[in-house]
Amino acid sequence: MTAIIALRSGGRTVAHQLPELPYDHDALKPFLGEETLQLHHGKHHRGYVDGLNDAEARLNEAREAGDFSSLRALCDALAFNYSGHLLHSIYWECMSPDGGGEPSGALLEQIENDFESFASFKTQFLAATNSVQGSGWGVLAWQPLGQKLVILQAEKHQNLAQWGVVPVLVLDVWEHAYYLDYQNQRTDYTEAFFDVVNWTCVQDSFNGA
Ligand code: MN3
């Protein structure tokens, strides 16, 4: 099951849940250490899930009371926490202890069609991700309008997003994702990410999009 489908189980009355990590906390060594994954998944990701549930509850209260005076802040909280929950859910699934190498099949064909080659895709993906201003993400996404793959930067979780695209591969470059293992060496972390990319899962997400 891909991360995006798993998220659909949360409905209006069902609280969003923190998804289980698809591997042990120490399974991605040496790319990321056990403490990084414990903090990142157990504290940071959980914070977005809790924040989303809280914001949805407050939105329901506002609707029932007919009082939308705090809607600006609520919309901000919903966008921030929903996007954080979604992107982290994809991020965990994008990695595997058995990952790395290169994609194949329809995904590779589309990458070669839209970026000329896997090598030039990787170069552009790393350039986009490494130059995110402050906290954010590098994202490979399917753009339905143009029927093509696009590479995006997201600041925080939600800024600079494109409406309607379906993210299929994401790389977290908030410092909490890598600081314990790489300190301020973001580029070492992003380069090593390609040693653990789970291309089978990315392929499934791409086929689903
Ligand atoms: Mn994060």
Side-chain angles (χ1 to χ4, degrees):
M1 181 159 59
T2 68
I4 298 170
I5 292 168
L7 288 177
R8 290 198 187 122
S9 56
R12 182 169 179 273
T13 56
V14 181
H16 299 277
Q17 310 266 353
L18 180 68
E20 300 251 328
L21 269 189
Y23 32 74
D24 291 337
H25 288 101
D26 61 358
L28 296 182
K29 283 180 179 173
F31 170 57
L32 291 174
E34 191 169 357
E35 193 179 4
T36 295
L37 284 202
Q38 277 169 347
L39 289 169
H40 195 180
H41 177 259
K43 302 288 186 193
H44 290 276
H45 188 170
R46 185 182 301 283
Y48 304 124
V49 173
D50 292 347
L52 176 59
N53 285 328
D54 177 68
E56 288 191 343
R58 285 188 290 134
L59 181 62
N60 286 340
E61 286 167 16
R63 218 183 271 124
E64 281 161 19
D67 176 7
F68 292 107
S69 56
S70 61
L71 197 61
R72 168 69 189 81
L74 267 180
C75 285
D76 189 63
L78 286 164
F80 179 81
N81 289 294
Y82 174 78
S83 299
H85 178 30
L86 175 85
L87 289 172
H88 283 92
S89 299
I90 300 170
Y91 175 65
W92 307 128
E93 300 278 348
C94 274
M95 299 182 286
S96 163
D98 306 316
E102 297 188 8
S104 58
L107 176 60
L108 180 62
E109 267 178 46
Q110 195 70 45
I111 285 175
E112 289 174 342
N113 194 57
D114 296 332
F115 303 102
E116 291 187 9
S117 66
F118 177 75
S120 66
F121 150 75
K122 182 178 171 183
T123 302
Q124 184 182 335
F125 184 84
L126 288 175
T129 307
N130 290 334
S131 61
V132 169
Q133 194 167 48
S135 297
W137 297 78
V139 177
L140 174 67
W142 177 248
Q143 186 202 66
L145 193 62
Q147 292 287 295
K148 63 180 181 181
L149 288 165
V150 292
I151 291 171
L152 309 177
Q153 295 180 322
E155 291 177 2
K156 297 201 287 180
H157 306 304
Q158 72 281 34
N159 301 354
L160 305 181
Q162 287 184 8
W163 299 113
V165 302
V166 181
V168 297
L169 173 71
V170 301
L171 177 47
D172 191 339
V173 287
W174 287 55
E175 283 191 344
H176 65 226
Y178 62 88
Y179 204 84
L180 289 176
D181 298 299
Y182 298 88
Q183 289 77 51
N184 62 341
Q185 302 301 312
R186 178 186 281 187
T187 56
D188 292 346
Y189 159 75
T190 56
E191 179 70 31
F193 172 74
F194 277 83
D195 295 336
V196 299
V197 171
N198 183 348
W199 287 112
T200 306
C201 183
V202 177
Q203 174 86 54
D204 288 346
S205 299
F206 171 70
N207 290 342

